[in-house]
Amino acid sequence: IPETLDDVLLNGLRVSHLEQADDIIIFAKSPEALQLKLDAFFAWCCRNLLVINGRKSWWMPLGCRPVAIPSFNINGADVPLEHEKSYVGMILNSSLSVEQRAHTADKAARAHRISCLVFGVLDRKCLEVPPRPARKLYMGLVDPHLTHGADVLPDSTKIATKKLETVQKTYLRKLLRVGPRSKVAPLFTETGVSPIRYRRADLAVRYLGYALQRPAEDLVRCAVLDSASLLAARAKSWVGDLAKALSLLPVPVGFDMPADDEIECSAKLPLLRGRLHENCFLQARPRPAPVSTFRGYLKLYAREHRTALTRLLLSDHGLAVERLRYEGVAHEDRMCRFCLVEVEDEMHALFACDGNEELARLRSALDLDVAQVKGHAVMDSLRGLDSFSVFQYLAADSETVPSLARFVHKVLRLFDDVPIYRNA
């Protein structure tokens, strides 16, 4: 394919075409130059006994639509005009402003179908997909679609990733077995999965670092440097889109801070504050737990116990403090259905309510379980702590969390058997 004066220039390097296996894309800035290249390409194929697939051949104007639509042919056969087409997995659109939305919408639809298959089929096969395998399936099957093209198309608008975010949050809620009203931040802090906008931004920045380390004559390095020149000239560019994508993030660096702030400021997530490291019983002064990681309680084998503890932590349970929230009842009026004295919140239901004899029996059984696992000395030290601190110790340790989850399951089931108290 000959070089012409109407070739595309990338940082001074002339680019006439790109080759990807048997897929070839030819560039030109004028109809005459493009037809010249098509003729030369056809002649080369004839000399090498190759055939051009006319059904897969098309042309597309990028950016401004020409006033007079030109026509192109290969050996007399017209090449059709397309306004949207897929090339090496990326959707190209003649209107560059909607190119990203078309691509992400397609990938979001594919990821959603896979998500439905994972939980629709496997849940029937094994009753319920445990969180750890579900997370592996997410990273292997769903995440590649949600992140596809992140390095080529930075998320320069929020609407472009809206569908991707919806698919990700739906999957993680199914993984944790919580409802659509659950808060967003715990979906990531409990599973160790990155929010999709940050994940895509991270991949784009990594790709930028890779491109800048390539040799000077490498096409991708030339493209990035040319894009930087366009940004300096206040023109639309890939580097400019990347800078805008980073500026649109809640916090431009990392994703720990926004999730942590949302939890600390949320009245709905009291049990996710002040959590301890998994080795807390071995530490003289327990370290705080990481903000985002795959939590130990999600590895529990007992499905009902694991789900009960997850819903308690994420405030997706049936206690009055949560259910009456959506009925507009003031916090101080969400009274306990058993004792009718205090607010029916998580700590009251687990450790304080004395309005039901079965609750006292369950607490005694929990004490015995913990004493058998950790020893009576640990139990004596826990008795000197407040109920919130006791809960954090038991939830953090891998040896005590099974007993705690079983206890939570039985307590919540006991409360669910009695209607919520509503002050008439």
Side-chain angles (χ1 to χ4, degrees):
I1 299 176
E3 293 185 352
T4 70
L5 295 178
D6 288 322
D7 283 344
V8 173
L9 294 178
L10 292 180
N11 199 41
L13 182 66
R14 194 175 299 277
V15 182
S16 64
H17 67 285
L18 296 176
E19 301 172 7
Q20 178 76 20
D22 61 346
D23 289 327
I24 299 176
I25 185 167
I26 302 174
F27 305 105
K29 294 189 290 184
S30 71
E32 296 77 15
L34 182 55
Q35 184 61 60
L36 177 64
K37 292 183 179 186
L38 291 177
D39 294 339
F41 179 55
F42 175 74
W44 181 88
C45 290
C46 292
R47 291 194 301 270
N48 291 275
L49 304 180
L50 297 175
V51 177
I52 299 175
N53 191 334
R55 290 182 299 176
K56 293 185 177 180
S57 300
W58 45 270
W59 78 275
M60 178 187 297
L62 294 178
C64 297
R65 183 184 178 92
V67 178
I69 304 297
S71 61
F72 301 96
N73 69 86
I74 298 176
N75 192 30
D78 290 338
V79 180
L81 168 66
E82 298 285 353
H83 294 287
E84 184 174 290
K85 206 70 175 178
S86 177
Y87 177 71
V88 293
M90 298 298 299
I91 294 180
L92 299 178
N93 196 294
S94 58
S95 176
L96 297 178
S97 61
V98 298
E99 180 179 354
Q100 184 185 24
R101 278 179 284 172
H103 180 76
T104 54
D106 175 67
K107 291 302 176 181
R110 291 171 184 263
H112 176 68
R113 287 196 294 269
I114 293 174
S115 174
C116 292
L117 285 173
V118 168
F119 291 102
V121 176
L122 295 185
D123 271 0
R124 290 199 297 268
K125 295 291 184 181
C126 58
L127 296 181
E128 180 181 294
V129 185
R132 186 187 290 183
R135 186 183 185 276
K136 289 184 177 179
L137 289 171
Y138 169 83
M139 296 305 298
L141 299 176
V142 179
D143 184 75
H145 286 287
L146 298 183
T147 58
H148 188 269
D151 47 357
V152 181
L153 291 175
D155 303 325
S156 57
T157 62
K158 290 184 178 180
I159 193 173
T161 55
K162 192 68 176 178
K163 292 182 179 179
L164 301 179
E165 293 178 283
T166 299
V167 172
Q168 185 188 48
K169 288 185 284 190
T170 300
Y171 188 100
L172 294 180
R173 284 191 169 106
K174 289 180 179 179
L175 182 152
L176 293 171
R177 307 292 166 176
V178 296
R181 285 178 170 175
S182 61
K183 299 286 284 184
V184 173
L187 302 181
F188 308 108
T189 62
E190 303 307 289
T191 61
V193 174
S194 301
I196 193 60
R197 285 176 59 200
Y198 284 99
R199 173 126 170 84
R200 289 173 61 86
D202 176 62
L203 291 174
V205 172
R206 289 173 183 269
Y207 184 73
L208 173 62
Y210 158 79
L212 293 177
Q213 295 178 52
R214 300 298 298 162
E217 68 279 2
D218 197 285
L219 282 179
V220 68
R221 178 182 173 89
C222 292
V224 168
L225 295 178
D226 191 78
S227 179
S229 300
L230 289 173
L231 177 63
R234 300 182 180 274
K236 185 175 177 61
S237 66
W238 179 85
V239 174
D241 286 346
L242 177 57
K244 189 173 181 181
L246 295 175
S247 69
L248 289 174
L249 295 174
V251 176
V253 287
F255 62 88
D256 288 352
M257 288 301 295
D260 198 25
D261 290 345
E262 182 176 345
I263 290 172
E264 292 297 327
C265 299
S266 174
K268 191 177 179 179
L269 302 171
L271 300 184
L272 297 187
R273 302 179 199 144
R275 291 199 289 187
L276 304 177
H277 193 272
E278 58 183 3
N279 297 323
C280 55
F281 281 111
L282 302 178
Q283 301 165 358
R285 181 176 296 177
R287 301 196 307 271
V291 173
S292 178
T293 186
F294 190 79
R295 304 296 175 182
Y297 68 85
L298 295 176
K299 303 174 185 177
L300 294 174
Y301 291 107
R303 177 177 59 87
E304 292 182 341
H305 300 170
R306 181 184 66 241
T307 302
L309 182 55
T310 302
R311 290 178 175 172
L312 182 81
L313 290 168
L314 273 63
S315 288
D316 195 39
H317 49 70
L319 298 179
V321 70
E322 178 62 21
R323 288 293 168 253
L324 296 183
R325 179 194 313 274
Y326 304 107
E327 298 180 17
V329 178
H331 182 272
E332 61 272 14
D333 294 331
R334 305 170 196 173
M335 307 305 294
C336 176
R337 69 194 76 186
F338 289 130
C339 67
L340 304 179
V341 175
E342 297 183 23
V343 173
E344 187 181 283
D345 59 16
E346 296 85 356
M347 289 298 99
H348 174 79
L350 294 180
F351 300 112
C353 180
D354 57 2
N356 187 288
E357 295 181 357
E358 182 65 16
L359 287 174
R361 190 190 68 79
L362 292 175
R363 290 170 192 146
S364 298
L366 175 64
D367 291 345
L368 289 175
D369 290 342
V370 174
Q372 289 178 356
V373 173
K374 307 301 291 187
H376 292 283
V378 170
M379 277 304 306
D380 292 339
S381 64
L382 289 178
R383 289 191 180 98
L385 303 175
D386 60 272
S387 59
F388 180 81
S389 298
V390 171
F391 180 88
Q392 296 297 350
Y393 269 94
L394 299 182
D397 188 81
S398 60
E399 294 180 334
T400 58
V401 72
S403 300
L404 177 64
R406 180 169 58 250
F407 169 68
V408 169
H409 169 64
K410 293 180 178 179
V411 169
L412 293 183
R413 189 170 60 181
L414 187 65
F415 273 82
D416 288 341
D417 290 339
V418 178
I420 291 179
Y421 173 75
R422 291 175 170 82
N423 189 358

